[in-house]
Amino acid sequence: MSSLTPSLPPLSLSSPPNKHATTTITIPTKPSSRPTSKPPSTASWIETLRSQTRSSHFHEAISTFVQMTANVQPDTFAFPAALKAATGLHDMNTGKQIHAGAVKHGFDSSSVTVANTLLNMYGKCGDIRDAAKVFDRIPQRDQVSWNSMISALCQFEEWELALDLFRQMGAEGQEPSSFTLVSVALACSNVGKRDGLRLGKQVHGYSLRVGDRKTFTNNALMAMYAKLGRINDSKAVFGLFDERDMVSWNTMISSFSQNDRFFEAVTFFKLMVSEGIKPDGVTISSILEKRFTLMLLRNDDGLIATSYVGGALVDMYCNCRQVESGRRVFDGILDRKLALWNAMLAGYTQNGFYENALRLFMEMVDASGLFPNPTTISSVLPACVHCIAFSDKEGMHGYVEKLGFGGDRYVQNALMDMYSRMGKVEISRSIFGGMESRDIVSWNTMITGYVVCECNEEALVLLREMQRAEENNKNGDDFDEEIVSHKPNTITLMTTLPGCAALAALAKGKEIHAYAVRNVLATDVAVGSALVDMYAKCGCLDLSRKVFDDMPTRNVITWNVIIMAYGMHGKGAEAFELFKGMVREGVKPNEVTFIATFAALSHSGMVSEGRNLFHNMKNAHGVEPTSEHYACAVGVHGRAGQLTEAYQLVNAMPHKHEKVGAWSSLLGACRVHQNVELGEIAANNLLRLEPDVASHYVLLSNIYSSAGLWEKAVEVRKNMMKKGVRKEPGCSWIEFGDEVHRFTAGDASHPQSEQLRNFLEILSEKLKKEGYVPDTSCVLRNVDEEEKENLLCGHSERLAIAFGILNTPPGTTIRVAKNLRVCNDCHAATKIMSKVVEREIIVRDVRRFHHFRDGACSCKDYW
């Protein structure tokens, strides 16, 4: 029997396990006994498992398999279905755990079906060496075994090995099937023109001898000839069979288009449409060439104008972000049906062309004689809210009611989104409450609305309502298809987790994480990225990094989040290493990546690294510095006390960039380093550009107060009051139990206010004995020293920390978040406090984290 293993790179048996761990699956050798009602039979479990896998509901299938193993012993039918689900998710780690279960039960060697499914899983999930090991250990290989291994080798572009194995297959007397020929044809097209054509013709000849006229075999042969430059041979194969499918047509159209034979591409495209085959995304990727569209419209014989194809083309072009091409097709159709208008409207809205969408909608209503339907309105409402030039947004609601669409669920979802983004979340909630039936989009839209309006606690409350509604659906006697879809999905989680992050609600975040793991949603890249962000913003950098390391797939957002996480926690060197690692892994940094990296370098005083990165970001990474990047670079210099360099950088900014962010960075740096002269210059520029922003007045006033210039400070505050500009009050919050407790400076509204005040007075005396000296310069009022000390004790973060100390067990870490920068005095006091009360105290302010422990802070007094 042949062995593949020697032909492949050696794999050490002591290799570490895959670091991208996902769902942990425990497969018992015996079913557990449960005192509840009789569980479903093995056959029932397997039918559910197979049905979910066939329907591509892979997450649900894995969940079912886990539940099954807790009730009955899985058999040779259960393991293949579960492995197919893991394959569908490209989740190698879960597949390996299922493999371990199969080994435990002895099915990996006794069942060729299980072995073949394992082979397929390893091949498609990216481990060709393990696939080869499985193949070598199959005692009686069947045709599927050979096909799976050849296919896996082709997936890894091991073309020569694939052809060698094909020869071995024949030598062992195993007849190839159509699936074998498809893989071998692919290998032939990738081993060089001369050898590929010679071998490919032999494969073609074999298929003719055995009478293989299957569509997918012919498709593979057509693709092979086309890739080897024999377009006419490909065309000849196409003409020899009648059972053509979408792949057949796409192969020919793509081949003609890639070889600049546009006339033939257009001809075949029209033939395809005339046979009733609707173009798909692959078709559109072949015809995105502008010359194709122009030729198609110029040679139109009425086919597009009289069929649904025009709308399909518009839809596909817009989905590929080729909106102009979609509009050209739209304009070329004279008899425009409502579906075509809807396709163009949706294309404009989905691609951010909001004003174009509204103009087209008005044209439709005024000139076409057509009446909009709910689909039309669902595309127009998002355009209304995002288009600045359109002011009568609420008027659209009245228009919708006049049309009689106010009760349509899709329209209601769009209205909820519109009002939320207008800041009128209470109207959104009213619409939500009045809905006769809600789908998953309704719940997600309302939760998103709360998060957008910074009503994060309400978002978490609504998530609990959503989960209760799902439980009620499960426990109900009647099955109602309209209300069954209340189960939180990936959109729900990635929407809700930022709310947990904003509130520093770690317990709720962990609860959502557990739900994601139980329902096999944690492997989704968007959910994983949101979890990384949530843990980081709740002060758990280690957990954040663990989630990041365990993710099977990462995108640029994931990398941005982890870089930002390390930056917030003052670990600039580690953040910069992550940036380098991202580049090494081939992930292209975007604008946000550089903002996150600059912030990290700024928090750690890594000025030279920040300067070099700023000057090289365009040449090395292809990202043009924006206004935000200049503001970050100013912050890097300014925070390090290099105020003159920061000022020069602001003045050196190109004229096309607005300077608000840069001046703000400079003003903040002047506040930290008490530079009155440059602070006045920065503030004057900001007040000219943004006269209604409170923070500009406050920072300038603070600069004056710190310098003892009380009259100037009072004057700034008076100007602020005259203009009606209000300062955002300082607020801190802490999670305790199921609630988030909020405190403002001098707060007396909390039920424990008096107890907190007394505790802080006693604690203040203990701190003084340990060397704490109140920094009364942080009190920006012209009052006596004793009053200043009293005011310092009432700062919001101290009240929140005191609440945590009094209400949590000794030794528990205290996590507090604040909406403003921590003042110097609270920072000094909290350092000593962490030593006196023997607690780790983690404070997240508006810019970064401070980890206080044993009398020191992680920021090393640089913030």
Side-chain angles (χ1 to χ4, degrees), residues 390-399 418-419 422 424 427:
F390 184 78
S391 57
D392 192 17
K393 303 181 195 311
E394 291 180 77
M396 280 299 295
H397 190 174
Y399 177 71
M418 181 186 80
Y419 278 115
M422 292 169 60
K424 300 186 176 183
I427 301 179

Side-chain angles (χ1 to χ4, degrees), residues 820-832:
L820 302 177
R821 183 180 182 273
V822 173
C823 78
N824 291 348
D825 181 74
C826 286
H827 190 269
T830 308
K831 283 197 296 184
I832 301 175

Side-chain angles (χ1 to χ4, degrees), residues 596-648:
T597 308
F598 285 133
L601 298 174
S602 176
H603 288 312
S604 298
M606 299 172 67
V607 180
S608 62
E609 291 86 349
R611 183 192 300 112
N612 292 336
L613 184 64
F614 178 76
H615 289 300
N616 292 321
M617 59 186 286
K618 181 180 179 181
N619 293 334
H621 304 286
V623 178
E624 181 82 35
T626 66
S627 303
E628 289 81 4
H629 298 127
Y630 273 94
C632 290
V634 170
V636 170
H637 286 288
R639 195 180 296 272
Q642 298 178 1
L643 297 177
T644 302
E645 291 86 343
Y647 179 51
Q648 290 171 348

